[in-house]
Every structure is written in structure tokens, then in C-alpha cells.
Amino acid sequence: MDKFVIRGGNPLLGTIRVSGSKNSALPCMAAAILTEDEVVLENVPQVRDIETERKLLVSMGAEVELGYGRAQHRTTISCRVLSDPTAKYEIVKTMRASALVLGPLVARAGIARVSMPGGCAIGARPIDLHIKGLETMGAQISYEHGYIEARAERLKGAHILFDKITVTGTEDLLMAAALAEGETVMENCAREPEVTDLAALLTAMGAKIEGAGTSTIRVKGVEKLHGAKHRINPDRIEAGTYLVAGAITGGDLCVSHCNPTHLGALIGKLQECGVRVEILGKDQIRVRGDGSLKGADISTEEYPGFPTDMQAQYMALATQAEGASLVKENIFENRFMHVQELVRMGANIRVDGRTATVRGRTPLSAAAVMCSDLRASASLVLAALVADGESILDRVYNIDRGYERIEEKLRGVGAQIRRMGNVFGGD
Ligand code: EPZ
């Protein structure tokens, strides 16, 4: 099992390039199920979750070609044949976003069998709102052997009001509604840029969608959708992670190929902490951490609020800021997996329910730490970049799920980081 060895202390200097968004590419790949034609996606990140989705689609009978390098990170997907509309447990257990095939499969094939996603490190992660929406559209739902089965001759347009804002729930039902009979109105939708990106692809495929990116989306179902070519948005969380990396190391870093308009809440918070952030044109942001940092509170909210996917990374920065920072996690019930590891490195953090109080500034000392969920792992990378000495991060496959070649990108701007195979044996 790979590990990272990181020696802290180097300010990050230069330009770091952001890849395509994992959380856009996953629903967009699932959207290919909706048509017999070929769908070509560009700027797809080379991360484990994309490979998992490729395996999932192939297991259902699709042809998926993933080309990286000169092929400009392109995937070509053909779901002409869907021989087995099943998302199997072996795959779903490694990636709960597999639930994104539920809506498209029922809409295209009239049947879907998806393994109920187990919980995951950050919480129960139910999909009850996905299921409730499909039932409202006329799907017959049954549960057997840990699988949910959804059937419908043809889904019917409906009025759907989400009890809670759900990103993949909005995406799942948006895809289902695209081929439903009649109009669907969805209220209390997620407004994340990933929803808007998916809607852009579906529209290019012939779907009739209004209001993507707002809390009310209207879809006029069509009989068929055709193939399309679509470029995936930049990954706003990867970009945010590198902005924090530039700040925490006291560097001067340009984050390129990103979309600054997707990062308003984070940029505002970094500036409140005393970080110098400058937007250079439509796809570059310059961050300088040369001043002293002061603590600032955050409360995670749905987009455009402060993203839960940046909470762990922000907490690492808060350990280096003077004073207290209150970090409130409102979206997931167990998203403080990074806290104990940061404390082992010398951070002063107290958790009380969904609020963590970080008291800085505390020097961090290098340690052997364990990666857990994707963003908690990113937080440990950031802490190790500023810790005194050499840290060893175990189970970095968690990072590989959502960060493309992170050690190469960071080394390219001066970080002392290298990947090692299993150095001590064991798991
Ligand atoms: C998406 O997960 C992202 N994943 C997550 O990113 C992100 O943290 C999350 O949205 C919130 O922004 C992908 O897009 C693949 P939700 P998702 O449904 O859709 C509850 C990462 O690090 N809920 O918006 O699964 C749920 O338990 C990942 O890249 C229900 O109760 O999140 C949570 O408390 C981690 N019932 C809240 O809603 C449902 O049917 C928001 O979850 C669905 C969700």
C-alpha cells in the first residue's frame, strides 16, 4: 500500500495546474447511459474514482475508452448495449457515487439494480431522496439482498421537492427526468457547479432543461437523447486545496486552469485570515501566504456557501493562524476524521459535536499518520508540508481517489514529497 513521505518547510513557489472535476466527471459519465450514441468527455481527471466508474459502466455492458496524456484526458463512452443494468456491490462499496447510475438506468433501460451504498467514513450517506424522487416519477421500488431494484415502463414527469439539498440526488433525478414523459419540476435542488456542468452536457445531448444552478430546475422530457462532446469543468476543490497549500507554506503560488467564480466563499475566507489572494484573469488565481495568519470561523453550507469538501483543508490552515477558529460542519455527521491526526502532529483542536475549535498558532511536528476519507487525507498533506521534519502518510489510495498526481504537482512547485511502496510491510 503506497505511502507519501513529506518533509515540511518549503514555501510553494510557481504554477500548479488544476485537473478536471471528479465530481463533474462522475455524473457526466453516468449520463452516457441515457443514449445509444457515443459520448466524449474531455478534461477528465486521472483519479481512482474515474477508473471505478469506468469499471462500473463496463460491467453493465458499456464500452469505455479512457485516454490520458496526449489524448487530453478524454473518455469515450458507448452504452449502445446495456447487457446488465446492475451496479454490483463489489464496485459500489468502493464508491458510493455509483448511485448516480440509478436514475439513468431506469430512464434508459426501464430497470436498475444498484447495491445499496454502505456508509462511508464521513457518514451514513443514504440515498433515500434519490429513491423517493424516482417513486414520485412512477418507478416501482423493491429491496432484496442489499440491492435496490427500480422499474418503470417509462418514468413520468413529476413535481419533486427535495427534503434536503442533495448534490447527487439532484443529478440522479435530473438525468432521469431528461427522458421522462412530460415535464418535471424539481425544487430545493443543489446549486453546485457540478449540477450545472451535467446540465450543460445533457442539453448538448438534446435535453430540455431550465434553471440548472438555481434551486428550481424544470425539465421537459424527450423521447431520445443523442451523443455529444463535452469538456468537464475544472475541479474547484482541488484548486481550493492548492490555494490553501500556497497559504499554509507561506508561498507565492499561481493556481492555473481553474475557475475563480466557483471559489468565492473560500477566497473570501482566506482573505479574512490575512492571505493575499489575487484573481489573474478567467482561469488563474495567485495566492501569497507571506503575512501572519489570523483565525476566522467557518460554517459549511451548500453552494455557494463554504464547501464541506474544503473544511478539513481549512482546518489545517487554521492551526497556523493566531487565535481561535470555530469550524462548524453542517453537511455530514462525521467529517472530523482528520482532527486526531492533526492533534498528533501538535495541533490544538477540541471537538464538541459538529463544531471543532482550533487554537493557533501551534507549530506542527512531523509524524506517521493515517489517511482516511479523501479530504481528511488532503488536510494531512497540507499539515505535513508545514510540519517540522519528515511525515509518513499511509493509505494514500484515499488521496488518489480525487487528486490527480498530487505528489508530482506539489513537487513541481518545490514541495519535498515522494511516493513510496509499502516500506514497512503489513497492510
Ligand atoms: C456530493 O456527495 C459530493 N460527491 C461530495 O464530495 C460532497 O461532499 C457532497 O456532495 C456535499 O457537497 C460527489 O459529487 C460524487 P449530498 P453527495 O447528497 O451527493 C444527505 C468528495 O470529497 N442525504 O449532497 O453524496 C447526506 O447524508 C465528496 O469529493 C440524505 O439524507 O452528498 C448529507 O448529509 C465527499 N439523503 C447531505 O444530504 C439522500 O438521499 C448532503 O449530501 C442524499 C443525501
Side-chain angles (χ1 to χ4, degrees):
M1 205 170 283
D2 284 2
K3 301 175 192 297
F4 280 161
V5 181
I6 302 176
R7 175 168 291 282
N10 291 16
L12 300 189
L13 304 168
T15 297
I16 193 164
R17 176 171 179 155
V18 172
S19 301
S21 163
K22 158 179 91 81
N23 291 349
S24 273
L26 290 172
C28 287
M29 288 174 78
I33 292 170
L34 294 166
T35 177
E36 296 179 353
D37 298 347
E38 220 173 52
V39 171
V40 179
L41 301 175
E42 298 196 322
N43 201 31
V44 173
Q46 188 173 357
V47 296
R48 282 168 64 99
D49 276 6
I50 297 301
E51 173 55 22
T52 302
E53 174 109 347
R54 183 193 67 78
K55 282 189 197 138
L56 173 61
L57 292 172
V58 167
S59 74
M60 299 189 310
E63 287 170 29
V64 183
E65 189 193 309
L66 262 181
Y68 292 111
R70 66 180 157 64
Q72 282 303 312
H73 287 53
R74 175 185 300 145
T75 178
T76 303
I77 304 169
S78 165
C79 296
R80 180 175 304 283
V81 173
L82 283 176
S83 50
D84 181 6
T86 304
K88 297 177 183 63
Y89 172 70
E90 294 68 36
I91 295 181
V92 174
K93 74 179 178 185
T94 65
M95 184 180 72
R96 66 172 305 287
S98 308
L100 277 165
V101 302
L102 184 59
L105 277 178
V106 183
R108 164 74 190 285
I111 179 169
R113 274 187 295 275
V114 175
S115 165
M116 292 297 282
C120 78
I122 61 179
R125 312 291 298 277
I127 57 169
D128 57 307
L129 300 178
H130 301 230
I131 295 164
K132 190 175 164 191
L134 286 172
E135 278 181 318
T136 309
M137 297 173 80
Q140 302 296 316
I141 305 290
S142 59
Y143 301 88
E144 204 171 39
H145 308 308
Y147 281 75
I148 165 189
E149 183 171 288
R151 289 175 181 271
E153 266 302 296
R154 185 178 182 192
L155 292 169
K156 300 253 181 307
H159 178 254
I160 294 169
L161 172 60
F162 287 103
D163 300 348
K164 287 179 81 168
I165 294 174
T166 160
V167 176
T168 49
T170 301
E171 292 163 346
D172 215 352
L173 293 170
L174 177 58
M175 291 188 274
L179 284 180
E181 184 181 354
E183 183 179 51
T184 298
V185 178
M186 304 197 301
E187 291 191 85
N188 200 26
C189 297
R191 296 183 281 165
E192 270 67 5
E194 292 75 42
V195 174
T196 313
D197 207 9
L198 171 64
L201 167 63
L202 292 171
T203 303
M205 293 167 68
K208 306 272 182 258
I209 299 168
E210 281 174 20
T214 74
S215 53
T216 300
I217 299 178
R218 290 175 185 283
V219 186
K220 282 193 174 53
V222 294
E223 294 289 327
K224 270 177 95 71
L225 291 171
H226 51 73
K229 189 170 173 182
H230 176 71
R231 184 171 180 77
I232 298 293
N233 266 347
D235 192 314
R236 61 191 170 96
I237 304 301
E238 184 193 14
T241 304
Y242 293 139
L243 287 176
V244 173
I248 201 171
T249 59
D252 182 349
L253 191 65
C254 177
V255 176
S256 73
H257 294 80
C258 67
N259 183 335
T261 65
H262 292 161
L263 287 154
L266 174 69
I267 291 171
K269 196 50 72 174
L270 292 177
Q271 290 170 331
E272 192 182 328
C273 293
V275 177
R276 286 200 288 168
V277 184
E278 205 183 334
I279 292 175
L280 309 173
K282 66 176 177 44
D283 68 353
Q284 300 202 36
I285 304 174
R286 182 182 182 186
V287 60
R288 280 172 284 178
D290 46 6
S292 65
L293 299 173
K294 61 183 190 315
D297 299 347
I298 62 162
S299 179
T300 63
E301 305 293 344
E302 294 86 0
Y303 190 88
F306 191 95
T308 174
D309 289 351
M310 281 301 305
Q311 178 258 105
Q313 299 91 310
Y314 178 80
M315 196 183 284
L317 182 69
T319 69
Q320 301 308 297
E322 294 299 335
S325 303
L326 294 186
V327 176
K328 188 144 188 320
E329 173 53 60
N330 296 306
I331 307 294
F332 291 110
E333 63 267 30
N334 183 33
R335 204 166 197 177
F336 286 145
M337 306 281 281
H338 42 291
V339 169
Q340 283 320 312
E341 297 300 284
L342 292 174
V343 167
R344 291 182 58 240
M345 297 176 81
N348 177 349
I349 307 171
R350 275 173 51 81
V351 173
D352 178 11
R354 289 204 174 196
T355 301
T357 304
V358 186
R359 293 188 194 288
R361 171 180 181 283
T362 51
L364 297 179
S365 61
V369 290
M370 184 77 76
C371 293
S372 52
D373 72 88
L374 171 58
R375 308 305 174 181
S377 308
S379 163
L380 299 181
V381 171
L382 296 170
L385 287 174
V386 77
D388 173 22
E390 194 166 80
S391 298
I392 304 235
L393 279 65
D394 201 356
R395 299 189 180 173
V396 295
Y397 61 83
N398 289 293
I399 298 176
D400 293 333
R401 290 191 55 170
Y403 288 92
E404 177 177 334
R405 297 182 295 107
I406 187 170
E407 75 274 21
E408 288 172 39
K409 291 189 181 184
L410 287 173
R411 226 181 3 250
V413 287
Q416 292 186 75
I417 175 173
R418 67 183 191 282
R419 181 186 291 261
M420 292 179 81
N422 187 338
V423 289
F424 303 119
D427 64 350

